């Protein structure tokens, strides 16, 4: 549907732009600041894994204390310092910024503990961002956690809440998908079950509303005429592709094609009800009810009233004139 296409196209466009610009530009502020960290943080980066873990845990515990006191900005700073020991930005030879991930190359003896700490820091920063209503930052950090641990339930849940916070049909759809995955991984979690039930219902209602609002944009004019279903379907697909190009999307991108294919199917099916070919009398009724057309039910009604009125006037004018002689009075 057109409304969903517009919303998802905007998100896809943003994703394509992020792919073409440095990772540094799309990172949250508390990750970009790692390029300017000095003192103890930089010293911990060069220390052995055990000493680096000790320093990182000190900042993490300070962040936990600040979070418990609802000092979210302070907690974000402490978590940022803790993460900067293991992952940071630095300038490269091409005057750009590159991400250094020390945690990927620690010795096997420390790898498991370092991985656990880094993942927890991703999640903690995502939680701070979520509470601060910084939706994109929450999604960014949840994505980092999921790239490290694809089955992380907390990351899926927090990303879904951020997408819901963005308040678009497209993000709501992605949020429901995240909640479904989280529900499969944690079927006994009451919070996830409740959120999935509530937001699935909201999404279905929003999808139906969008269909009623925007669906007619694909079924005006020639699409009312008799034509094979396959031809009408190809016209809809072509209009979607044209709109994607207008928005600057790469229609050869598999992500874009996938969204277009899904939206094309949604145009055929809403809430599980298949669209069927419209009968002749229903098409006629729609035609005569469409006030945008010159000939419609309202204009015909006015024309009939006008003609009846003119007939009455004509009858009155056609009556013979009185011939009474004044002298007879």
């Amino acid at each position: 549907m057109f409304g969903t296409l517009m919303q998802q196209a905007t998100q896809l466009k943003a994703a394509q732009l992020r792919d073409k610009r440095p990772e540094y530009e799309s990172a949250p502020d508390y990750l970009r600041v790692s390029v300017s960290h000095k003192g103890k943080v930089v010293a911990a980066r060069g220390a052995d894994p055990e000493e680096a873990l000790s320093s990182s845990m000190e900042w993490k515990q300070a962040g936990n204390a600040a979070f418990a006191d609802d000092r979210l900005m302070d907690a974000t700073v402490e978590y940022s310092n803790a993460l900067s020991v293991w992952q940071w930005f630095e300038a490269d030879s091409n005057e750009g910024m590159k991400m250094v991930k020390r945690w990927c190359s620690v010795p096997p003896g420390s790898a498991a503990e370092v991985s656990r700490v880094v993942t927890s820091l991703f999640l903690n920063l995502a939680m701070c961002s979520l509470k601060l209503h910084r939706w994109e930052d929450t999604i960014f950090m949840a994505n980092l956690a999921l790239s490290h641990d694809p089955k992380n339930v907390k990351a899926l849940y927090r990303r879904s809440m951020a997408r819901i916070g963005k308040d678009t049909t497209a993000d709501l759809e992605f949020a429901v998908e995240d909640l479904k995955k989280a529900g499969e991984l944690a079927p006994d979690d009451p919070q996830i079950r409740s959120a999935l039930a509530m937001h699935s219902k909201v999404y279905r209602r929003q999808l139906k509303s969008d269909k009623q609002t925007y669906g007619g944009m694909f079924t005006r004019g020639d699409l009312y005429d008799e034509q094979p279903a396959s031809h009408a379907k190809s016209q809809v697909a072509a209009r979607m592709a044209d709109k994607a190009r207008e928005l600057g999307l790469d229609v050869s991108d598999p992500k874009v094609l996938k969204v277009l294919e899904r939206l094309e199917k949604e145009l055929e099916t809403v809430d599980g009800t298949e669209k069927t070919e419209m009968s002749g009398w229903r098409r006629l009724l729609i035609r005569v009810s469409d006030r945008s057309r010159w000939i419609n039910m309202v204009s015909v009604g006015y024309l009939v009233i006008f003609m009846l009125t003119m007939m009455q006037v004509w009858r009155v004018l056609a009556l013979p004139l009185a011939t009474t002689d004044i002298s007879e009075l």
Side-chain angles (χ1 to χ4, degrees):
M1 56 192 57
F2 189 74
T4 306
L5 173 62
M6 290 289 288
Q7 292 160 350
Q8 295 195 9
T10 302
Q11 184 161 348
L12 284 169
K13 179 64 176 177
Q16 288 180 344
L17 288 174
R18 284 197 300 270
D19 291 342
K20 295 176 182 178
R21 68 191 184 200
E23 185 179 14
Y24 178 81
E25 295 296 331
S26 58
D29 294 343
Y30 48 72
L31 289 188
R32 294 204 299 268
V33 75
S34 64
V35 73
S36 60
H37 279 159
K38 299 177 181 179
K40 290 181 62 178
V41 174
V42 175
R45 291 174 184 172
D48 61 72
E50 289 74 17
E51 185 177 348
L53 267 174
S54 177
S55 298
S56 182
M57 287 302 297
E58 287 182 15
W59 280 305
K60 181 185 175 185
Q61 289 167 2
N64 290 345
F67 186 87
D69 291 339
D70 204 29
R71 293 183 288 114
L72 298 177
M73 295 304 299
D74 291 341
T76 298
V77 171
E78 299 295 346
Y79 291 143
S80 175
N81 288 337
L83 181 59
S84 188
V85 174
W86 305 107
Q87 181 166 310
W88 64 89
F89 282 106
E90 67 179 28
D92 61 20
S93 57
N94 297 321
E95 299 184 355
M97 292 290 178
K98 66 177 181 180
M99 174 69 79
V100 179
K101 299 179 180 180
R102 183 192 175 191
W103 55 270
C104 292
S105 58
V106 297
S110 305
E113 180 62 15
V114 169
S115 177
R116 184 190 67 79
V117 171
V118 169
T119 300
S120 69
L121 290 169
F122 289 155
L123 293 171
N124 290 355
L125 284 166
M127 189 63 183
C128 287
S129 298
L130 184 62
K131 282 182 168 288
L132 290 167
H133 294 182
R134 295 167 63 171
W135 312 128
E136 293 294 348
D137 290 352
T138 304
I139 293 171
F140 189 98
M141 298 311 298
N143 286 342
L144 287 180
L146 289 167
S147 67
H148 191 46
D149 178 11
K151 295 183 178 181
N152 193 291
V153 174
K154 289 182 179 179
L156 287 168
Y157 181 78
R158 290 171 191 176
R159 186 171 69 176
S160 73
M161 293 297 103
R163 284 172 165 167
I164 290 168
K166 292 178 70 177
D167 195 25
T168 71
T169 303
D171 284 297
L172 183 57
E173 178 183 5
F174 294 137
V176 170
E177 290 299 320
D178 280 344
L179 288 170
K180 286 180 180 178
K181 293 177 184 176
E184 292 171 358
L185 295 168
D188 297 327
D189 189 310
Q191 187 177 31
I192 293 174
R193 287 204 309 271
S194 175
L196 178 58
M198 178 174 66
H199 294 296
S200 293
K201 184 177 180 180
V202 172
Y203 173 63
R204 288 193 297 271
R205 186 165 60 246
Q206 184 62 44
L207 195 64
K208 186 174 182 180
S209 174
D210 284 354
K211 176 61 183 175
Q212 294 172 345
T213 303
Y214 300 105
M217 299 186 74
F218 291 110
T219 55
R220 287 180 182 160
D222 294 338
L223 292 182
Y224 279 112
D225 299 334
E226 294 286 351
Q227 52 184 297
S230 59
H231 179 61
K233 181 178 178 181
S234 65
Q235 283 191 328
V236 172
R239 292 190 187 190
M240 284 183 172
D242 289 343
K243 178 56 65 176
R245 292 188 187 94
E246 289 176 15
L247 293 168
L249 295 174
D250 180 5
V251 293
S252 64
D253 188 330
K255 294 179 181 178
V256 177
L257 292 175
K258 184 177 180 181
V259 170
L260 291 176
E261 289 172 1
R262 184 174 68 251
L263 290 174
E264 186 179 342
K265 291 178 180 177
E266 288 177 356
L267 282 170
E268 298 174 347
T269 307
V270 177
D271 290 340
T273 303
E274 292 291 332
K275 276 190 165 183
T276 57
E277 187 175 355
M278 195 177 296
S279 60
W281 70 268
R282 292 185 64 189
R283 277 199 305 276
L284 178 61
L285 183 60
I286 291 175
R287 280 179 179 272
V288 299
S289 300
D290 187 356
R291 294 195 177 191
S292 65
R293 295 176 177 272
W294 282 100
I295 300 177
N296 57 63
M297 189 179 297
V298 176
S299 62
V300 170
Y302 286 141
L303 179 60
V304 171
I305 293 172
F306 175 76
M307 291 178 66
L308 291 174
T309 303
M310 292 304 298
M311 288 176 64
Q312 292 296 327
V313 172
W314 176 256
R315 287 174 181 172
V316 171
L317 293 176
L319 290 175
L321 294 175
T323 59
T324 307
D325 190 345
I326 296 178
S327 63
E328 296 177 358
L329 294 178

